[in-house]
Amino acid sequence: MDPALLAQMHGGDWQRLSDLARRRTLTSSEAADFMRLYRTASKDLSRIVTVAPDSEAAARLSVIVHRARTHFTGIPRGPLSAFVRFAVRSLPAALWQLRWMLLAGTVLFLASAVLSALWALHTPGVLDSLMPPEAQRRLAEHDFVDYYKENPNSVFAVGVWTNNAWIAVQWVALGITGFYVPLGLVSNGANVGISAAVMYDQGYAADFWSYLLPHGIPEITCILIAAAAGMRIFFAWVLPRAMTRGAALAKEARSLITVAAGLVLFLFLSGLVEGFITPNPLPVWLKISVGVLLTLAIFAYAALLGRPVVRAGGDGDLEDERAGYTVLAAY
């Protein structure tokens, strides 16, 4: 069956069904007409998906059929209901599905940081080749700590938040390349390691940890979650399993852009810690405890809400009627 020919023959009926699906109420004759058109359109969609799943006709009719199905099977949700579903189902489920990819990214990041720090500290001349001795002294004595205090707390918090949120969205979106995220993890880990080496070499190790850990624990966790999301999109494209590459990629992208939206909120909280807690003259143990508790809260949120959803067969994707049709691939 030629999709273009079928669209030409039944296009009027499809449009009529679409118009009826947009109405709040239907008369008895319109309801009968609606059901007849829905059954016909469903059969047409099945035929088109079989021969040309990526055609324009398939995409158009899929939207119409799912809109019609929603019209008589449920009440469209308002913004509040959609937000509740996002917060208690989609986001935590998507986060829970990232746990093993997150572990792999964490190992890569920490290994890069530790190895670069050890290399810089124990290889003569490395630190001086990377940074002039005067710059090292200035970083350790002033610049590292002043970075957190040179701007008003609120301005600094907003600046940190927007920068980190932009990085997180980039890592999710560009993860499909397969190399952007691993290179980012290695380079960022190396930067942290070199900074640690300078601070240790200059005798300011305590300042390094007391100013990095309070916000760094939740902030780096969020960036690592973004990295895991990006790599999951890449593997969905490379290893689509029982779906076409396009369908697998679309499914993961919908789920993991959800993660990016959630990370914007998490990074906002981390930015508040960096802007108001890190430079605050509170006991170091208390400042670090705030960062640890925020990170544990993110993990608990994913485990307590997301794990049951995933175990029940759910995920962070949209519902079927909102996501569109799915094409299975035979092997």
Side-chain angles (χ1 to χ4, degrees):
M1 173 62 69
D2 182 3
L5 178 59
L6 192 61
Q8 184 176 0
M9 293 171 56
H10 295 173
D13 289 342
W14 298 351
Q15 186 59 49
R16 170 66 173 165
L17 176 63
S18 179
D19 293 340
L20 292 174
R22 296 177 186 274
R23 298 184 184 180
R24 287 183 174 273
T25 59
L26 300 175
T27 65
S28 58
S29 60
E30 286 174 338
D33 197 26
F34 178 89
M35 294 303 299
R36 178 184 61 81
L37 292 172
Y38 173 75
R39 287 192 292 267
T40 301
S42 298
K43 293 178 182 178
D44 290 342
L45 179 60
S46 178
R47 294 172 184 170
I48 295 175
V49 167
T50 301
V51 297
D54 296 322
S55 65
E56 181 181 350
R60 174 193 170 197
L61 186 54
S62 176
V63 172
I64 293 173
V65 168
H66 286 300
R67 181 185 297 132
R69 181 184 303 166
T70 301
H71 184 76
F72 71 80
T73 60
I75 300 173
R77 295 190 309 271
L80 179 60
S81 180
F83 174 78
V84 170
R85 186 184 191 280
F86 167 83
V88 304
R89 180 181 174 87
S90 299
L91 178 57
L95 290 173
W96 181 252
Q97 290 181 306
L98 293 175
R99 60 194 184 280
W100 299 119
M101 200 70 72
L102 172 61
L103 177 61
T106 301
V107 170
L108 179 60
F109 174 82
L110 292 179
S112 302
V114 172
L115 291 176
S116 61
L118 293 175
W119 171 65
L121 279 173
H122 298 291
T123 305
V126 168
L127 283 178
D128 290 344
S129 68
L130 295 173
M131 186 182 299
E134 178 60 25
Q136 296 178 44
R137 184 190 63 80
R138 190 167 58 249
L139 173 66
E141 294 181 357
H142 305 290
D143 292 352
F144 189 84
V145 173
D146 289 347
Y147 168 74
Y148 300 98
K149 298 180 177 181
E150 60 187 0
N151 293 305
N153 291 352
S154 57
V155 174
F156 182 56
V158 171
V160 167
W161 170 45
T162 54
N163 178 69
N164 289 334
W166 174 237
I167 292 174
V169 172
Q170 281 184 306
W171 282 30
V172 174
L174 297 178
I176 191 174
T177 63
F179 64 84
Y180 188 87
V181 168
L183 286 179
L185 289 173
V186 171
S187 63
N188 280 273
N191 286 337
V192 172
I194 296 302
S195 296
V198 171
M199 299 295 284
Y200 266 81
D201 187 64
Q202 296 290 322
Y204 287 86
D207 282 350
F208 176 79
W209 293 114
S210 63
Y211 278 86
L212 176 69
L213 290 181
H215 69 276
I217 294 175
E219 179 181 290
I220 292 174
T221 298
C222 289
I223 297 300
L224 290 173
I225 291 173
M231 289 307 298
R232 187 174 172 93
I233 292 178
F234 170 71
F235 282 109
W237 173 59
V238 174
L239 303 171
R241 292 178 291 184
M243 304 175 70
T244 64
R245 294 187 189 279
L249 181 59
K251 180 177 179 63
E252 291 299 334
R254 287 191 300 267
S255 296
L256 300 177
I257 291 300
T258 297
V259 172
L263 289 177
V264 171
L265 173 60
F266 297 153
L267 285 168
F268 173 72
L269 299 176
S270 176
L272 292 180
V273 174
E274 187 167 359
F276 292 91
I277 301 298
T278 296
N280 197 293
L282 293 169
V284 174
W285 67 266
L286 180 58
K287 294 195 291 185
I288 294 176
S289 296
V290 173
V292 170
L293 288 175
L294 177 56
T295 304
L296 291 177
I298 295 173
F299 288 148
Y301 170 71
L304 295 178
L305 295 181
R307 185 169 178 265
V309 173
V310 174
R311 291 189 66 179
D315 53 32
D317 195 8
L318 299 173
E319 309 100 307
D320 291 342
E321 65 268 17
R322 291 173 179 261
Y325 65 87
T326 299
V327 182
L328 300 180
Y331 288 89

